Each structure stands twice: as structure tokens, then as C-alpha cells.
Amino acid sequence: MSLMQPGDIIQTCLRTREVMKSVEWLGDRVRIIDQTQLPTHLIYVDCWTPEDVAEAIVALRVRGAPAIGVAAGYGLVLAGQHSRAVDLGSWWGDLDRAVDLLRRTRPTAVNLARALDVVRAATNLATDVEDAKRRALEAAHAICEEDRQANRRMGDIGADLIPSPANVLTHCNTGSLATVDFGTALGVIRTAHRRGKTIHVWVDETRPALQGARLTAWELLMEGIRHTVIADGAAGFLMKRGLVDVVLVGADRVAVNGDVANKVGTYSLAVLARAHGIPFYVVAPTSTIDVSIPDGSAIPLEERRPEEIRVLGGTLIAPQESPALNLAFDVTPHELISAIVTETGIARPPYRHSLAELTLARTGSSVQE
Ligand code: MRU
């Protein structure tokens, strides 16, 4: 269902300073923006079942670590609502089947698994099926609200790190589309711009799904932030020429020692930034820190269909017979990361210590695992 033309939305957002909601609960369904259609079509899709939500996550209609966490949480709520079970035992059985389905969609972003665990656990103390449904919905809403607030706080905290004027280089999409709204790394850029800093953003196109070119550029356009889309391979030479002051990226999972899994290409940027003496910042809510993972080698990394590499916009761009490797994520070792901005503060090396403190600062005031 297309509600507005992309141009209308851009005008509306520039007027109201509102940012897009990538995921929204509408009482009996989850509404998402179909991100595969951007930037040419702004289409909202309604997911009525957990299967609809799972399909949307696998197909990258909804994507970005926090956004898929929130979508999966609501997907579980849908499973609970649709269950015909009258006793709690059978209802939990239905819920657990949906947990399995949704957990299998994408392995790297910890937000997804965490949201499923939180919503499922919230029903443990339910007295009957209706009570369990209510508790599941409350938990999903809490995850959504927690993300919304975390993004604003990361924007405030991280904007202090950005000089003015600044050429910022970013990778993939970390904006309102990747979260509930506002964004992580892009949220920092947004806040710096709103504070009056002079910002220009180099937008890595981010092959193969082009989240940078299609989504980040679109969001920056809506916010009125100057930007230029570049081929992924151009970043190093721009750094060499002194045209990059800071690199800002998001994260799908942060290990206890500060190693960071993010969109493939992030590692190369971190190496390049180190070689050129440029600060490399990761912006991620504490919900993206996985306290069960000691270092990056234990993070499960998604590998997607080779077809996504060989085919671009419906056109074959490599021989069908040529093998293609489609790694969706890579791991950046903590030694290459200057700081990690979270909603409870800025973690600096040694991360084992600083991340533990910031994670502790979150617990108690927010959703518990
Ligand atoms: O494959 P995607 O588009 O879901 O990958 C998204 C990223 O890599 C983002 O950088 C990450 O989720 C952080 S977004 C707030």
C-alpha cells in the first residue's frame, strides 16, 4: 500500500523534522516500510502473521539490527494473538514454534535473538493465555520504546565527537530505517547537523544490497544534510587526500572485548582509518552488546545467496557460472576502534572494562533479559 510519493515525504519531513518509522504496531498487525523498494517507491507493507514478519526480515524489507529486533518481537506477539490454544502450555508451544522460525531468519544481529528471548520470557509468569498475550505485547512495546530513547541519547552523546566542519564517512544504513526511528551512527550525524555543525557525509554505496546509496542517501536528503554517494572502493583514496575527518558506523553485535560485527566492508574502513590516522567510531545501543560472546570470533556471521552479488537491479553483472561469495557481515577487531558510543556513555579501550560498566548502567532502568 503506497501512502505517499517519496517527494511528498521528503517535504513533510523537512517541515516537521519527523523521521520515518521503519516498524510500527497497529493493534493487529506490524506495518513496515518495504526498504527493498526505496528510494524510488515508499511502500508500507502490513505483516499479519509471524511468517509475514519472517519473510520481511529475510528479504531485507525490514533490516538493520534494532529494527529487525523490534519487528521480530512484534512477530512473536502476532503468533500469540493467532494461537487458538486455550491453555498456557499449548499457547507456549505455539509461541516457541514462532521463536524458532523468527530466530532462523538472520543470525548476526543480537537484537533479534534478544527481542525474541525478552518477549518469550515476559510471558513466563502469566496466569492465563489472555494475560500472556498482554505481557508479550507490553514487552515488545518496551523494546521499541527502549530503542527510540537510546537513539536520541546516542545522538546527544556522540555529536560531541564530531568536529565542525566535518567530512564524515559512513557505511550501510544506520538511520531511522535501521532502527525504530532516528538512528545510531546516522542519529549522531543528525544531531550534529541539528546543532548547527557543518557536516558533509561520504556515503559508501554498500554493495551488494546498496543500503548506503539507496537508504542512507535518502534519509540524509530528507534531513537536508549535504552528502555524496561514493563507490565502496573510493574510501581509502578520499582519506589519503585528507577528505575524511571521521568514520562513523553502526553494529549488529558487539563482543565483550569490543570486537564489532557490522556490514561487510566495515573492517576495511577501520584498517584504512587506522592507516590514515582518522578516528573510527562505532555507535550502538547497549542492547547490541552480547555479554555471552567473549570476542568477535564467536559471532555468527550471515552468508547470503550468491545471486545477490551476481545480479544487480535484475541484471546479471557477473557470469551466472562464476561462483560468488556473499558475506553479509565482517568483524572489526577492537584494536581498530577509537570509541564505541552507547546510550549510557562512550566506551573507550580497554573495552572489556568500559563496555561492562556501560551495560551495567543500562540494566535496572530498561528491558531485562
Ligand atoms: O544487512 P543489514 O542491512 O541489516 O545490515 C545493517 C547494518 O550492518 C547496520 O550497520 C547495523 O545493523 C547497525 S544499524 C543501526
Side-chain angles (χ1 to χ4, degrees), residues 2 14 16 30 47 78 81 92-93 99 111 117 121 126 134 153 173 233 254 256 269-270 276 280 302 330 332-333 338:
S2 181
L14 283 176
T16 64
V30 189
C47 300
L78 288 174
Q81 289 192 347
W92 278 320
V99 168
N111 309 60
D117 291 342
R134 189 181 48 75
R153 285 202 293 268
N173 172 265
V254 180
V256 168
L269 287 178
H276 294 90
F280 181 91
E302 178 182 8
D330 60 26
T332 300
S338 312

Coordinates of all heavy atoms in Angstrom, one line a residue, residues 2 14 16 30 47 78 81 92-93 99 111 117 121 126 134 153 173 233 254 256 269-270 276 280 302 330 332-333 338:
S2 N 0.8 2.1 -1.0 CA 1.7 3.3 -1.1 C 0.9 4.4 -0.6 O -0.2 4.8 -1.1 CB 2.1 3.5 -2.5 OG 2.9 4.6 -2.6
L14 N 11.1 17.5 6.1 CA 11.9 18.8 6.2 C 11.1 19.8 7.0 O 11.7 20.6 7.8 CB 12.3 19.3 4.8 CG 13.4 18.6 4.1 CD1 13.6 19.2 2.7 CD2 14.7 18.7 4.9
T16 N 8.6 19.1 9.3 CA 8.2 18.8 10.7 C 9.4 18.2 11.5 O 9.3 18.0 12.6 CB 7.1 17.7 10.7 OG1 7.7 16.5 10.1 CG2 5.9 18.1 9.9
V30 N 1.8 -5.7 12.0 CA 3.0 -4.9 12.1 C 3.2 -4.2 10.7 O 3.2 -4.9 9.7 CB 4.3 -5.7 12.3 CG1 5.5 -4.9 12.6 CG2 4.0 -6.7 13.5
C47 N 2.3 -6.8 7.9 CA 2.6 -8.2 8.3 C 1.5 -8.6 9.2 O 1.4 -8.1 10.3 CB 4.0 -8.3 8.9 SG 5.3 -7.8 7.8
L78 N 2.2 -11.4 17.4 CA 1.2 -11.9 16.4 C 1.0 -13.4 16.6 O -0.1 -13.9 16.5 CB 1.7 -11.6 15.0 CG 1.7 -10.2 14.5 CD1 2.3 -10.0 13.1 CD2 0.2 -9.7 14.5
Q81 N -1.2 -13.9 19.4 CA -2.6 -13.5 19.2 C -3.3 -14.5 18.3 O -4.5 -14.7 18.4 CB -2.6 -12.1 18.5 CG -2.2 -11.0 19.4 CD -2.5 -9.6 18.8 OE1 -2.8 -9.5 17.6 NE2 -2.4 -8.6 19.7
W92 N 2.2 -21.7 24.8 CA 3.7 -21.5 24.8 C 4.3 -22.4 23.6 O 5.3 -22.0 23.0 CB 4.3 -21.9 26.1 CG 4.2 -20.8 27.1 CD1 4.5 -19.5 26.9 CD2 3.9 -21.0 28.5 NE1 4.3 -18.8 28.1 CE2 4.0 -19.7 29.1 CE3 3.6 -22.1 29.4 CZ2 3.8 -19.4 30.5 CZ3 3.4 -21.8 30.7 CH2 3.5 -20.5 31.3
G93 N 3.7 -23.5 23.4 CA 4.1 -24.4 22.3 C 4.0 -23.6 20.9 O 5.0 -23.6 20.1
V99 N 9.2 -18.5 17.7 CA 10.5 -18.1 18.2 C 11.5 -18.8 17.2 O 12.4 -18.2 16.7 CB 10.8 -18.5 19.6 CG1 12.3 -18.3 19.9 CG2 10.0 -17.7 20.6
N111 N 20.2 -8.2 18.4 CA 19.0 -7.6 18.8 C 17.8 -8.5 18.5 O 16.8 -8.5 19.2 CB 18.8 -6.3 18.1 CG 20.0 -5.4 18.2 OD1 21.1 -5.7 17.8 ND2 19.8 -4.2 18.8
D117 N 13.9 -13.5 23.0 CA 14.1 -14.1 24.4 C 13.3 -13.2 25.4 O 12.7 -13.7 26.3 CB 15.5 -14.1 24.7 CG 16.3 -15.2 23.9 OD1 15.6 -16.1 23.4 OD2 17.5 -15.1 23.9
A121 N 10.2 -14.6 27.5 CA 10.4 -14.6 28.9 C 9.3 -13.8 29.6 O 8.9 -14.2 30.8 CB 11.8 -14.1 29.3
A126 N 2.8 -15.5 33.3 CA 1.4 -15.3 33.0 C 0.5 -16.2 33.8 O 0.8 -17.4 34.0 CB 1.2 -15.4 31.5
R134 N -1.1 -10.2 26.8 CA -0.9 -8.8 27.2 C 0.6 -8.6 27.6 O 1.2 -7.6 27.2 CB -1.8 -8.5 28.4 CG -1.9 -7.1 28.8 CD -2.8 -6.9 30.0 NE -2.5 -7.9 31.1 CZ -1.5 -7.8 31.9 NH1 -0.6 -6.8 31.8 NH2 -1.3 -8.7 32.9
R153 N 19.6 9.4 22.8 CA 20.7 9.7 23.7 C 22.0 9.5 23.0 O 23.0 10.2 23.3 CB 20.5 8.7 25.0 CG 19.4 9.2 25.9 CD 19.7 8.6 27.3 NE 19.5 7.2 27.3 CZ 18.3 6.5 27.6 NH1 17.3 7.2 27.8 NH2 18.3 5.2 27.6
N173 N 23.4 1.4 6.2 CA 22.4 2.4 6.7 C 22.1 2.2 8.2 O 21.8 1.1 8.6 CB 21.0 2.2 5.9 CG 19.9 3.1 6.6 OD1 19.2 2.6 7.4 ND2 19.9 4.3 6.2
G233 N 34.9 1.3 -3.0 CA 36.4 1.3 -3.2 C 37.0 2.7 -3.1 O 38.2 2.8 -3.1
V254 N 28.2 -6.6 19.3 CA 29.4 -6.2 19.9 C 29.8 -7.2 21.0 O 29.0 -7.6 21.8 CB 29.3 -4.8 20.6 CG1 30.6 -4.4 21.2 CG2 28.8 -3.7 19.6
V256 N 32.2 -8.9 24.1 CA 32.6 -8.3 25.4 C 34.0 -7.6 25.3 O 34.2 -6.6 26.0 CB 32.7 -9.5 26.4 CG1 33.5 -9.1 27.7 CG2 31.4 -10.1 26.7
L269 N 37.2 -0.4 6.2 CA 37.2 1.0 6.5 C 38.0 1.3 7.8 O 38.8 2.3 7.9 CB 35.8 1.5 6.8 CG 34.9 1.6 5.5 CD1 33.5 2.1 6.0 CD2 35.5 2.7 4.6
A270 N 37.9 0.3 8.8 CA 38.7 0.5 10.0 C 40.2 0.4 9.8 O 40.9 1.2 10.3 CB 38.2 -0.5 11.0
H276 N 45.4 6.0 8.1 CA 45.4 7.4 7.8 C 45.3 8.3 9.0 O 45.1 9.5 8.9 CB 44.3 7.8 6.8 CG 44.6 7.1 5.4 ND1 44.1 5.9 5.1 CD2 45.3 7.6 4.4 CE1 44.6 5.6 3.8 NE2 45.3 6.6 3.4
F280 N 37.8 6.2 14.2 CA 36.8 5.3 13.7 C 35.9 5.0 14.9 O 36.3 4.3 15.9 CB 37.6 4.0 13.3 CG 36.6 3.0 12.7 CD1 36.3 2.9 11.4 CD2 36.0 2.0 13.6 CE1 35.5 1.9 10.9 CE2 35.2 1.1 13.1 CZ 34.9 1.0 11.7
E302 N 26.3 -14.0 9.0 CA 25.4 -14.4 7.9 C 26.1 -14.4 6.6 O 26.8 -13.5 6.2 CB 24.2 -13.4 7.9 CG 23.2 -13.7 6.8 CD 22.1 -12.6 6.8 OE1 22.2 -11.6 7.5 OE2 21.1 -12.8 6.1
D330 N 31.2 -8.5 8.5 CA 32.5 -8.8 8.9 C 32.7 -8.4 10.4 O 31.8 -7.8 11.0 CB 33.6 -8.2 8.0 CG 33.5 -6.7 7.9 OD1 33.1 -6.1 8.9 OD2 33.9 -6.1 6.9
T332 N 35.2 -6.3 13.0 CA 36.3 -5.3 13.1 C 36.9 -5.6 14.5 O 36.2 -5.5 15.5 CB 35.8 -3.9 13.0 OG1 35.2 -3.7 11.7 CG2 36.9 -2.9 13.2
P333 N 38.2 -5.9 14.6 CA 38.8 -6.1 15.9 C 38.9 -4.8 16.7 O 39.0 -3.7 16.2 CB 40.2 -6.6 15.6 CG 40.4 -6.3 14.2 CD 39.1 -6.1 13.5
S338 N 38.2 3.4 17.8 CA 38.6 4.5 18.6 C 37.7 4.7 19.8 O 38.2 5.0 20.9 CB 38.6 5.9 17.9 OG 39.3 5.8 16.6

